[in-house]
Amino acid sequence: MKKNLLLATSAMVATGFFATQAAAQIEVTLGGQIEFQAGYAFSEDTSATGGAGMGGAQALGGGVINNDPNDANFGNVVSADDINNGVYNPIGNNLGVAANRSGDFTTITDNIAIGISNTADNGLTYGGQYRVDTGRVRLYVSGAFGRVRMGQWDTAAHELRVRVPFAGTDRFGGDAEDYVFNAGIVGDGLNDTGGALISYTTTGTALDDTGLTLGLSYTPSTTAANGIDRTESAGGEYNDVGSVAFNYDNEFSGVGVRFGAGYSFGSAGGTATVGDAGGANYFVDNNGNNDVYSNRNLSAWNVGAGLAVAGFDVGAQYIDRSESGNISGFNDETWLVGTSYTVGPWVFGVSYADASQDVSVSGVDAGNATRAGYSVDEQRFGLGTAYSVAPGLDVKGDLAYIDSQWSTSGDNAYGENVSIENDAWVGVVTTALSF
């Protein structure tokens, strides 16, 4: 972080000198958001059964050998009691707080960016942005021809998606998944972002008068950002990613209408090793050969719609990521609905999300078949509110209920299959300063 701040300070000073000496009309801005957050979680029903492998693990003495080298518990035997007591998180998601505490304080920085913009005499608008918190570099040029973006921007499908309305810190109960284990698959993205791209949208053209925006983008690799990456993509990363999308947003007699859809595609170069796969990709290979399978290409789409009238806003969204970045037979989809009401400085919101991931593999080897898979189902209900105390200063509150179930299935060389359930309430209060 110190390195990023040093770069940001140097860039701001250098840019400010240039703006003063060479082109006084160039505007340099610094903006973003800093937050203080307090959260508390209460799991009313947490249980785990079975002693089979999780995250590429094998059973031993009723516990689990953790074979994930990226986990602090690598090589340790973890019992079902540890899971039931919340001491160990077998799925690989962040616990967010210490294992023996239910709540914590934290600070968050978001969208801290230095922006540069200018408008030429011919009406051409151009500029860029440096994200201090992430190190992302972005440029853009826009005019009557539309808008061209270059750098670490979102893909067209991600940028033009129609999202559900919300209040509080987020659409689905704030940062609730950071305070409980076995949760976190709910999301409204296509997992297609990353890397440096070039994109085009019709923003600024005559289509603006109709409320319609079209967009497309391309990136050679989702792993390449500030450097050049000529290697084959790893699991979950993609090459030659294309994205197309549209967004319609208009108003009729005081009723706001919005609708949008997007599709992203690309080639995956990584592989998954059955019998030793980390994270949620859980399989058991009875012959012990750790069979290797190529990950599937990126093919994901989303669609969303919403209405707004008299302070009320309601919307729905569906995301289908299919087998993208995983082996054949994988399924990954999410349904989202939400509504909000704004009155004066107050915003109130309700949201619901239903996400599922599952996969089944059979016939791994002739004469020594393996049938294995896993299933994750997560439902999340969220209540949120936000109050504008003063310009740039907001207090937000979220209450989320998370019901998450994770289980394995199929032939198993190591004993029972695993089933994990977690029903949790999470409360989050955030003070946010935007500048």
Side-chain angles (χ1 to χ4, degrees):
M1 187 66 183
K2 290 183 178 179
K3 180 180 179 181
N4 284 343
L5 287 174
L6 178 60
L7 290 173
T9 304
S10 300
M12 186 163 53
V13 171
T15 306
F17 176 81
F18 173 79
T20 302
Q21 298 297 321
Q25 69 270 29
I26 291 181
E27 181 179 357
V28 180
T29 60
L30 175 64
Q33 183 168 285
I34 53 177
E35 302 177 357
F36 173 81
Q37 184 179 96
Y40 184 86
F42 171 73
S43 293
E44 64 176 21
D45 182 16
T46 303
S47 62
T49 61
M54 288 180 292
Q58 300 176 3
L60 179 65
V64 172
I65 300 176
N66 180 9
N67 289 341
D68 182 359
N70 297 317
D71 195 295
N73 290 290
F74 174 60
N76 294 342
V77 177
V78 182
S79 68
D81 288 339
D82 289 334
I83 299 171
N84 290 331
N85 295 331
V87 176
Y88 176 62
N89 175 21
I91 308 304
N93 301 72
N94 294 326
L95 281 171
V97 297
N100 60 346
R101 297 209 310 276
S102 297
D104 215 339
F105 292 160
T106 186
T107 56
I108 302 170
T109 59
D110 192 23
N111 292 318
I112 308 299
I114 300 170
I116 306 168
S117 62
N118 194 19
T119 301
D121 294 338
N122 60 4
L124 185 72
T125 300
Y126 57 96
Q129 184 186 82
Y130 173 72
R131 282 284 299 272
V132 179
D133 53 340
T134 63
R136 291 186 175 185
V137 177
R138 302 169 169 179
L139 296 88
Y140 70 88
V141 179
S142 62
F145 55 84
R147 178 180 295 165
V148 177
R149 289 177 170 177
M150 299 158 284
Q152 294 164 278
W153 298 93
D154 292 331
T155 62
H158 197 84
E159 177 188 355
L160 297 181
R161 61 189 163 154
V162 172
R163 310 179 74 183
V164 302
F166 75 103
T169 58
D170 203 354
R171 290 161 175 77
F172 318 112
D175 299 311
E177 68 272 10
D178 291 337
Y179 293 87
V180 296
F181 79 87
N182 195 28
I185 68 170
V186 169
D188 61 359
L190 294 180
N191 300 336
D192 58 350
T193 58
L197 58 76
I198 183 168
S199 71
Y200 169 79
T201 62
T202 58
T203 305
T205 69
L207 279 179
D208 286 353
D209 296 333
T210 69
L212 179 65
T213 303
L214 305 178
L216 55 88
S217 64
Y218 169 77
T219 180
S221 171
T222 57
T223 60
N226 294 324
I228 297 175
D229 182 7
R230 297 181 180 273
T231 63
E232 187 178 63
S233 293
E237 304 292 345
Y238 309 99
N239 295 323
D240 296 320
V241 174
S243 184
V244 294
F246 78 91
N247 180 292
Y248 179 78
D249 192 341
N250 214 334
E251 184 175 319
F252 303 92
S253 302
V255 179
V257 178
R258 61 188 186 276
F259 179 75
Y263 175 67
S264 292
F265 54 93
S267 60
T271 59
T273 305
V274 175
D276 191 25
N281 290 335
Y282 165 73
F283 305 100
V284 176
D285 185 0
N286 285 337
N287 61 22
N289 291 333
N290 293 336
D291 300 284
V292 177
Y293 292 84
S294 296
N295 287 325
R296 309 296 289 181
N297 292 334
L298 171 66
S299 179
W301 59 278
N302 66 59
V303 61
L307 292 172
V309 60
F312 288 93
D313 195 355
V314 61
Q317 187 181 9
Y318 173 73
I319 302 99
D320 188 343
R321 305 177 191 90
S322 188
E323 300 173 343
S324 302
N326 292 278
I327 68 174
S328 179
F330 195 87
N331 179 67
D332 185 350
E333 61 181 357
T334 304
W335 285 94
L336 314 161
V337 293
T339 185
S340 67
Y341 176 65
T342 302
V343 52
W346 289 93
V347 183
F348 303 92
V350 180
S351 62
Y352 175 77
D354 190 327
S356 64
Q357 294 179 350
D358 59 83
V359 66
S360 178
V361 176
S362 62
V364 174
D365 288 305
N368 197 356
T370 294
R371 294 183 300 276
Y374 82 94
S375 177
V376 184
D377 292 292
E378 181 180 330
Q379 292 81 41
R380 188 180 301 186
F381 174 77
L383 296 172
T385 185
Y387 177 73
S388 179
V389 180
L393 180 63
D394 300 291
V395 176
K396 307 174 183 181
D398 295 278
L399 179 63
Y401 174 72
I402 298 176
D403 181 7
S404 181
Q405 300 181 8
W406 190 94
S407 62
T408 66
S409 61
D411 290 348
N412 193 312
Y414 308 113
E416 297 179 77
N417 288 297
V418 175
S419 176
I420 304 172
E421 296 185 15
N422 186 29
D423 295 338
W425 287 94
V426 182
V428 178
V429 178
T430 303
T431 301
L433 175 62
S434 302
F435 57 96

